[in-house]
Amino acid sequence: MELPKNLKELYRHWRGHVAETETNNTETYNGGGNKELLEQIAWFINERLEIWKKKTAGERPPYTSDAILSEYRFCNIFREFDRQ
């Protein structure tokens, strides 16, 4: 799933906050080579975004079949999505 351009632009400032070598260091972003961990993280991110979409579209719960995500409250993947 590709994020819309307006959402990507929320984080356009990110490179200004990390060292250039850190952003190019694949060890930082590959879960230490743990493919299963990365797949679990990707699943969680996608599931949370789908829940957010359903909530903002006015759908009624449950928003997911996952027992934990349907019962408990979590911050959104993008903090900008959280109600202030």
Side-chain angles (χ1 to χ4, degrees):
M1 175 180 109
E2 184 71 20
L3 288 174
K5 185 178 180 185
N6 65 331
L7 296 180
K8 287 181 184 179
E9 289 178 355
L10 291 172
Y11 295 95
R12 67 183 176 277
H13 62 282
W14 179 251
R15 289 212 180 266
H17 296 287
V18 293
E20 185 63 30
T21 55
E22 186 177 337
T23 59
N24 291 329
N25 183 355
T26 56
E27 195 64 30
T28 303
Y29 296 102
N30 74 1
N34 187 338
K35 185 177 179 182
E36 182 181 332
L37 174 63
L38 286 178
E39 288 171 355
Q40 290 173 354
I41 292 169
W43 175 86
F44 177 77
I45 290 169
N46 287 326
E47 193 69 13
R48 287 295 297 136
L49 284 172
E50 289 301 315
I51 291 168
W52 177 82
K53 285 179 189 177
K54 290 176 182 178
K55 280 184 170 183
T56 56
E59 292 185 30
R60 304 203 43 90
Y63 304 111
T64 180
S65 60
D66 182 88
I68 301 295
L69 291 176
S70 66
E71 180 141 352
Y72 297 96
R73 294 177 181 245
F74 295 88
C75 292
N76 288 303
I77 293 300
F78 298 110
R79 295 304 308 263
E80 286 82 353
F81 291 176
D82 290 344
R83 287 183 272 180
Q84 301 298 319

